[in-house]
Structure formats: structure tokens, C-alpha cells
């Protein structure tokens, strides 16, 4: 924000143009260096100015309003202005005949002072009063808030989605609920009602009502539009494999663009702690690891497009074309598919309706403050579930892992099992599934079903799901060869009885990470038969770039 916006505001309201100019002139003369003077000719105009200031995160130190104004007098204006800036100090400008009314206003709307017109000389009759107003305001502890602001409801799924999107993209924000006074003030300033949440307010004062991820991304400065329409390499997916491809592609001179539908990091980016990744003996959070990788890719010149949904891959001669959901396209000599996998939906009744309102897929770290003193349940027995259990154990009263299998040893790393055994408030329920989730406005109870037929109804407000791994590759149907679950076949796995895949026209076998379409490579979890580990995904991303170079040398 520029220096003028950082200055606290002194607002004057008077319907007499001569008086309005005079008071603004005298205020600028004394306070212009440290404050911004804003003047309005009516109460309604002043309220509009205050709403704009509120949305932009500015501070109002003092308001001086004329008592006698048509349509809305000074007392009525100050009463409404208090709803927007309750800490701003207030003074009435009044003629001698209205002194009694001004004194009554001090009790009615907590007016701090009244000023008689004319106020000449200002050094005696104006400045001492304004000095006192500013000093009192400073003592109230009011500070400017320049972050992006989100106004929403505790149990609103769209509000959770917006907060999660910003958090995963490392965009700082401040969150207000519509149940707290400041949240209601911001909602009023935005001209919104509770049905239009979330309201996302940018640092320049834009108010976005129930926006999409793409709208949020564009408004907060994330890159959503490509710089050109043709690249050497398009990487689809921003998890560890995609980031590895972007880093190595850009660093080796390929004009590279990475396209991600939500946030860099993928599932790994939501991991609270990764402790078996090479080079980090003390562990590293998924967010930290992927943010470093993202910055590294950008340093080498890779473009990063966020909140863009890829819906098709097409072959047009030697070009490989990626089509977005809005119909636009970009093309490249080669493509690396690194779209990873998503958690499988829990099919228990009630889960779909309560998703984002107590039922969450992934660790949802933004929910950690809400878990303090609560009983949290986590479904899953792999490393991601174990890492989440360790993380939430620092906040929740208890954490219960619900595991379908007989033990964790077949699905979770040994070091993580040892950690969980040492944490007193973490419990493991094996041979158990979640049979149902219930609640009115939000999750309130889940039913646990044991393999022996026993059931138990437990109270909880938070259920985190980490089950299965399903690739989202339906958009590639008929383009590249996939297995029965949707994972993409590559390299030697494409050869059947020594025969190359149908339609393969090159006089060579597919490279190790190459799909059934020449020039389209696959890295990470979305590849059939891949090792589901962060380190292997990064390695495949780097290897895929090497194979891209070999492919380009043939062209």
C-alpha cells in the first residue's frame, strides 16, 4: 500500500461547501503530514467513503460532522459510522444555538467533543480538540490491517474452501466470522448479506462475494493467465513430481509452464511433517518443502499458473495441446502429466453433506485452532494419516485413528508408528470403519463399526479422511492408455507381447516414463506401478525432463 493509504484518516462532513473547504484546509495545515483528510458533503456520502475505507483496511482516527444537515444530521451519521469504525473518535460541528443538542449527543452516541462554528483562531478552538481526539484514538490500540480479509461462517463449506485455497497458496489473510462485530462491520461495508459468504476483501478494497478459486487467485495476485500460447514444456500438476519437473525443465533451458488447479504441493503440500525425505533429518512440513520448490522453479524462469482446470489433451501434429475448462488452450513440444491422486471419498451416509462442515479430506491445517480441547477422528492407516495424527495431537484433547486393517504395520512407516505409540492422547482403533456421520449445521457424531459387528456412536466435530488414492484422469480417456483404476501406463508396461501401443508411429519403444502418446510423459503417483513416496515423485519429475530432452532431439 502507498504511504497516503497508510496514513490514518480524518473525516469531515458538512453540507456547506464553504465550511467544508475551510475545515479541511485547517486540518491539512496542521495534520496533513501524518494524516489523510477526507471530506464529504452529506452523511450518506460520508458513509459510502467509510465503507470504502473499511474494505481497504484503512483506519479512521477521527470524524467531524456538522450537526445540521438535510436528510441525515450529524448525530444520525455518527451513530451509523460507529458501526463501521467503533474506535474512531467523534466530534460535532455546531452553531451556538444547537449547543444543547450537541451536549445531549455526547450521551446519546458517545460523541467525544463538540466544536462551535466559527472556530477561529483554529490554534485555540480547533486544534486542541482534534489533538485530544487523535491522542485518544492512538491510545485505543487501533492498527491498520493490510492483509486480505475473509468474512464467513464457522460451518460454511465455501468459507472453508476459500480459506484453505489461500493458506495452501501461502497467501496471508485474516479471518472474521459473521458472528463477531468486526465481521458484521465488514459484511455491511461490502454490501453483502450472510447468504453471500464467503466475502473475500483484497488489500485494495475489492469485495468478492462467494468467489471461485480462479476469481480469488486473480484478485490476490496469483498468476492465472499464461504469458504466451506455446512452450517447450507444459507440466500438468503442481505436486512434488510436477515441481521437480518444473525446476529441472526451467533450469535446463526449456521454456516451462506448470499448471495447477488448486495449489502447489498436492497431497504432500498438506502434510504436517515429512520426516523421511532426504536432507531434512529434523523433518519438514509439506507446505515448507513445496513452497521452497515453487520458489526454486520460479527463480529458474518457470511460469506457475494457479486455479486452472485442465480438461483435455490433444495431439496436433508435433504440438501437444492442453485445453482449459474455459475453452482456452496452450501448446508445447512436450507435456509431463504429474496430476497425482486424490483421497477416495468415504461412502458412509452423511459424509458428503457434511464435507467442509466438520468432515475434511486431507489434514486441513486451517482447522487446527478449532480442534483445541476437542476429540478428533482420523480415517486411514498410511503415512499421511499418521502425520496428521501427530499434528492434531498438539491441539486436540484426543486423536483417534480409525483403521480398517488389523494393524498399522502393513501401511505406515515404522518411525511414524513409534511416534504415535509415544503420544498419550493418540489412540488407534483397528478393524474399524466409520459407518455414518450425522449432525444438523455441522458434524456432531459418527458411528464406528467394528469388524465383529459391534457399533459405537461417538461425539466429534472433526473427521479427517485419508483413505485410498484415486487418479483424476477421466479427462484423458481415449488419449493415453490407463489401467482399470485410471493410472497411466508408461514405458515397458505399454508393450504387450513385445508389441508397441496402438497408434504408436515412432521407430522405437516408448521411453521409460513416456505414455502411449509420444512426447507426453508421466511422473509421480498418477503413473501406474509408481512408488507412492515424495522422494520418488521428485526423482521421476527430474527423470522425465531428461527424457523430454531425448524426445526433442528426435524432432
Amino acid at each position: 500500500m502507498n504511504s497516503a493509504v497508510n496514513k490514518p484518516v480524518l473525516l469531515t462532513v458538512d453540507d456547506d461547501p464553504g465550511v467544508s473547504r475551510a475545515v479541511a484546509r485547517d486540518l491539512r495545515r496542521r495534520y496533513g503530514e501524518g494524516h489523510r483528510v477526507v471530506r464529504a458533503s452529506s452523511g450518506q456520502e460520508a458513509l459510502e467513503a467509510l465503507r470504502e475505507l473499511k474494505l481497504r483496511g484503512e483506519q479512521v482516527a477521527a470524524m467531524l460532522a456538522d450537526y445540521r444537515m438535510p436528510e441525515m444530521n450529524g448525530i444520525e451519521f455518527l451513530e451509523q459510522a460507529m458501526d463501521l469504525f467503533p474506535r474512531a473518535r467523534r466530534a460535532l460541528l455546531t452553531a451556538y444555538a444547537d449547543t444543547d443538542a450537541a451536549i445531549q449527543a455526547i450521551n446519546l452516541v458517545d460523541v467525544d467533543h463538540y466544536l462551535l462554528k466559527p472556530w477561529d483562531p483554529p490554534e485555540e478552538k480547533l486544534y486542541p480538540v482534534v489533538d485530544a481526539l487523535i491522542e485518544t484514538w492512538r491510545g485505543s490500540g487501533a492498527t491498520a490491517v493490510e492483509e486480505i480479509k475473509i468474512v464467513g461462517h464457522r460451518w460454511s463449506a465455501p468459507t472453508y474452501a476459500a480459506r484453505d485455497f489461500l493458506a495452501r497458496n501461502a497467501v496471508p489473510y485474516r479471518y472474521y466470522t459473521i458472528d463477531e462485530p468486526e465481521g458484521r462491520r465488514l459484511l455491511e461495508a461490502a454490501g453483502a448479506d450472510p447468504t453471500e459468504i464467503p466475502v473475500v476483501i483484497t488489500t485494495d478494497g475489492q469485495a468478492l462475494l462467494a468467489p471461485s478459486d480462479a476469481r480469488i487467485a486473480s484478485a490476490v495476485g496469483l498468476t492465472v493467465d499464461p504469458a504466451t500460447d506455446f512452450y517447450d514444456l507444459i507440466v500438468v500438476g503442481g505436486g512434488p513430481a510436477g515441481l521437480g519437473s518444473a525446476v529441472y525443465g526451467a533450469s535446463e533451458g526449456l521454456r516451462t509452464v506448470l499448471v495447477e488447479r488448486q495449489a502447489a504441493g498436492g497431497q504432500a503440500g498438506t502434510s504436517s511433517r515429512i520426516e523421511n525425505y532426504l536432507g531434512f533429518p529434523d523433518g519438514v512440513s509439506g507446505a515448507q518443502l513445496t513452497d521452497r520448490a515453487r520458489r526454486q522453479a520460479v527463480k529458474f524462469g518457470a511460469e506457475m499458473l494457479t486455479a486452472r482446470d485442465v480438461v483435455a489433451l490433444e495431439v496436433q501434429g508435433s504440438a501437444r495441446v492442453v485445453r482449459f475448462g474455459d475453452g482456452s488452450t496452450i501448446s508445447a513440444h512436450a507435456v509431463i502429466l504429474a496430476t497425482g491422486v486424490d483421497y477416495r471419498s468415504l461412502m458412509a451416509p452423511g459424509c458428503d453433506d457434511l464435507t467442509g462442515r466438520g468432515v475434511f479430506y486431507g489434514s486441513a491445517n486451517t482447522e487446527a485452532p478449532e480442534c483445541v480441547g476437542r476429540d478428533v477422528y482420523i480415517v486411514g492407516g498410511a503415512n499421511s494419516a499418521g502425520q496428521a495424527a501427530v499434528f492434531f495431537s498438539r491441539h486436540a484433547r484426543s486423536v483417534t485413528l480409525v483403521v480398517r486393517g488389523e494393524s498399522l504395520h502393513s501401511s505406515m512407516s515404522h518411525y511414524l508408528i513409534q511416534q504415535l505409540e509415544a503420544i498419550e492422547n493418540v489412540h488407534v482403533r483397528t478393524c474399524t470403519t466409520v459407518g455414518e456421520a450425522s449432525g444438523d449445521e455441522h458434524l456432531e457424531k459418527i458411528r464406528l463399526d467394528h469388524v465383529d459387528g459391534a457399533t459405537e456412536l461417538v461425539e466429534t466435530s472433526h473427521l479427517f479422511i485419508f483413505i485410498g488414492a484415486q487418479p483424476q484422469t477421466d479427462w484423458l480417456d481415449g488419449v493415453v492408455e490407463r489401467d482399470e483404476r485410471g493410472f497411466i501406463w508408461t514405458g515397458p508396461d505399454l508393450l504387450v507381447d513385445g508389441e508397441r501401443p496402438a497408434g504408436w508411429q515412432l521407430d522405437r519403444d516408448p521411453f521409460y516414463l513416456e505414455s502411449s502418446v509420444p512426447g507426453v510423459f508421466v511422473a509421480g503417483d498418477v503413473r501406474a506401478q509408481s512408488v507412492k513416496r515424495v522422494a520418488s515423485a521428485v526423482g521421476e519429475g527430474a527423470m522425465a525432463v531428461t527424457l523430454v530432452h531425448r524426445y526433442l532431439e528426435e524432432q
Side-chain angles (χ1 to χ4, degrees):
M1 303 181 89
N2 61 47
S3 58
V5 172
N6 280 326
K7 294 178 179 180
V9 169
L10 301 177
L11 176 72
T12 72
V13 193
D14 200 303
D15 65 313
D16 185 324
V19 174
S20 179
R21 286 193 298 270
V23 69
R25 177 201 63 212
D26 287 345
L27 290 175
R28 289 193 182 100
R29 183 181 301 162
R30 174 70 172 257
Y31 306 104
E33 185 174 342
H35 298 77
R36 188 158 69 92
V37 177
V38 175
R39 65 189 182 99
S41 59
S42 69
Q44 193 57 50
E45 181 184 330
L47 287 174
E48 289 299 320
L50 288 176
R51 291 188 183 100
E52 182 178 345
L53 294 170
K54 188 72 177 179
L55 293 176
R56 288 163 57 182
E58 295 191 55
Q59 293 293 296
V60 176
M63 297 179 283
L64 285 72
D66 183 35
Y67 171 64
R68 286 188 177 273
M69 292 188 293
E71 297 180 2
M72 182 186 299
N73 65 37
I75 295 175
E76 293 168 336
F77 160 72
L78 290 174
E79 191 170 18
Q80 294 188 46
M82 286 173 63
D83 293 334
L84 292 167
F85 289 94
R87 291 183 176 177
R89 308 328 300 167
R90 298 165 290 278
L92 270 179
L93 297 174
T94 181
Y96 180 79
D98 297 320
T99 301
D100 288 343
I103 293 174
Q104 291 176 11
I106 291 176
N107 297 321
L108 180 64
V109 293
D110 195 24
V111 170
D112 297 286
H113 292 277
Y114 68 91
L115 286 162
L116 290 175
K117 297 186 292 185
W119 53 83
D120 290 329
E123 289 77 12
E124 294 181 13
K125 298 184 178 180
L126 175 65
Y127 297 153
V129 171
V130 177
D131 286 345
L133 294 175
I134 292 174
E135 184 178 352
T136 302
W137 174 78
R138 285 176 178 162
S140 70
T143 56
V145 178
E146 297 182 9
E147 304 104 324
I148 291 159
K149 295 180 277 290
I150 295 180
V151 184
H153 190 273
R154 171 70 191 88
W155 298 113
S156 158
T159 298
Y160 161 72
R163 294 177 61 198
D164 188 59
F165 177 79
L166 289 176
R168 293 189 60 189
N169 281 285
V171 178
Y173 67 89
R174 184 169 293 190
Y175 172 56
Y176 302 88
T177 72
I178 59 175
D179 298 323
E180 59 184 304
E182 184 66 6
R184 290 193 293 270
R185 286 191 282 269
L186 289 168
L187 206 64
E188 179 189 344
D193 63 59
T195 65
E196 297 173 292
I197 59 172
V199 176
V200 178
I201 301 167
T202 64
T203 54
D204 62 357
Q206 288 187 76
L208 314 178
L209 310 186
S212 65
D213 285 352
R215 182 75 181 91
I216 295 173
S218 178
V220 303
L222 298 174
T223 303
V224 296
D225 296 316
T228 185
D229 58 3
F230 197 90
Y231 296 83
D232 294 319
L233 174 62
I234 298 171
V235 181
V236 183
L243 289 167
S245 297
V247 167
Y248 282 93
S251 67
E252 293 175 10
L254 298 178
R255 182 155 197 190
T256 302
V257 59
L258 183 149
V259 183
E260 167 57 44
R261 68 178 180 180
Q262 186 175 31
Q267 281 192 11
T270 67
S271 294
S272 54
R273 201 88 185 151
I274 301 172
E275 297 195 57
N276 58 353
Y277 188 74
L278 185 66
F280 291 88
D282 297 322
V284 61
S285 74
Q288 289 174 323
L289 184 64
T290 54
D291 183 61
R292 291 177 183 181
R294 179 192 58 79
R295 289 188 283 113
Q296 195 173 16
V298 170
K299 181 189 77 170
F300 286 125
E303 286 183 40
M304 311 287 286
L305 304 185
T306 304
R308 296 306 299 264
D309 197 18
V310 176
V311 298
L313 174 66
E314 302 166 5
V315 176
Q316 296 180 6
S318 62
R320 304 295 177 258
V321 180
V322 165
R323 186 172 299 278
F324 298 125
D326 63 1
S328 62
T329 63
I330 54 175
S331 304
H333 294 300
V335 171
I336 295 177
L337 302 174
T339 51
V341 294
D342 286 347
Y343 292 115
R344 186 162 45 85
S345 296
L346 185 63
M347 302 310 294
C351 283
D352 284 350
D353 292 339
L354 293 168
T355 298
R357 299 188 292 129
V359 175
F360 305 96
Y361 287 87
S363 61
N365 291 349
T366 55
E367 288 296 304
E370 303 296 334
C371 293
V372 174
R374 299 178 183 268
D375 298 317
V376 169
Y377 286 77
I378 296 174
V379 181
N383 279 9
S384 54
Q387 290 160 355
V390 173
F391 173 75
F392 283 111
S393 70
R394 306 184 192 117
H395 304 272
R397 177 170 57 190
S398 72
V399 176
T400 301
L401 269 173
V402 181
V403 183
R404 180 188 294 272
E406 295 181 357
S407 75
L408 295 173
H409 292 279
S410 62
S411 57
M412 188 178 293
S413 295
H414 179 66
Y415 81 90
L416 201 47
I417 295 174
Q418 288 183 311
Q419 282 189 24
L420 294 175
E421 290 174 346
I423 302 174
E424 291 185 358
N425 64 334
V426 172
H427 314 285
V428 180
R429 298 280 296 271
T430 58
C431 301
T432 304
T433 59
V434 173
E436 185 179 5
S438 60
D440 293 327
E441 187 180 45
H442 59 87
L443 177 67
E444 297 173 359
K445 296 178 181 180
I446 60 174
R447 192 187 76 228
L448 300 179
D449 296 346
H450 195 269
V451 70
D452 64 6
T455 64
E456 181 183 358
L457 198 62
V458 297
E459 294 185 357
T460 183
S461 58
H462 288 79
L463 176 68
F464 299 94
I465 301 168
F466 299 82
I467 56 173
Q470 58 183 29
Q472 301 295 326
T473 57
D474 288 348
W475 60 281
L476 292 167
D477 187 35
V479 181
V480 298
E481 292 192 12
R482 304 175 297 153
D483 69 11
E484 67 280 358
R485 294 186 296 164
F487 292 94
I488 304 171
W489 291 114
T490 59
D493 293 327
L494 287 166
L495 304 179
V496 179
D497 297 328
E499 295 293 323
R500 295 166 183 162
W504 187 268
Q505 298 179 354
L506 300 182
D507 189 23
R508 63 165 175 81
D509 292 343
F511 292 137
Y512 180 67
L513 297 179
E514 197 168 18
S515 73
S516 57
V517 175
V520 176
F521 298 83
V522 188
D525 290 0
V526 73
R527 189 177 67 83
Q529 310 296 332
S530 66
V531 177
K532 306 299 190 280
R533 287 290 184 267
V534 175
S536 62
V538 173
E540 287 190 7
M543 184 191 302
V545 171
T546 299
L547 298 175
V548 166
H549 282 293
R550 290 176 59 183
Y551 169 77
L552 294 178
E553 289 170 359
E554 299 176 342
Q555 305 306 300

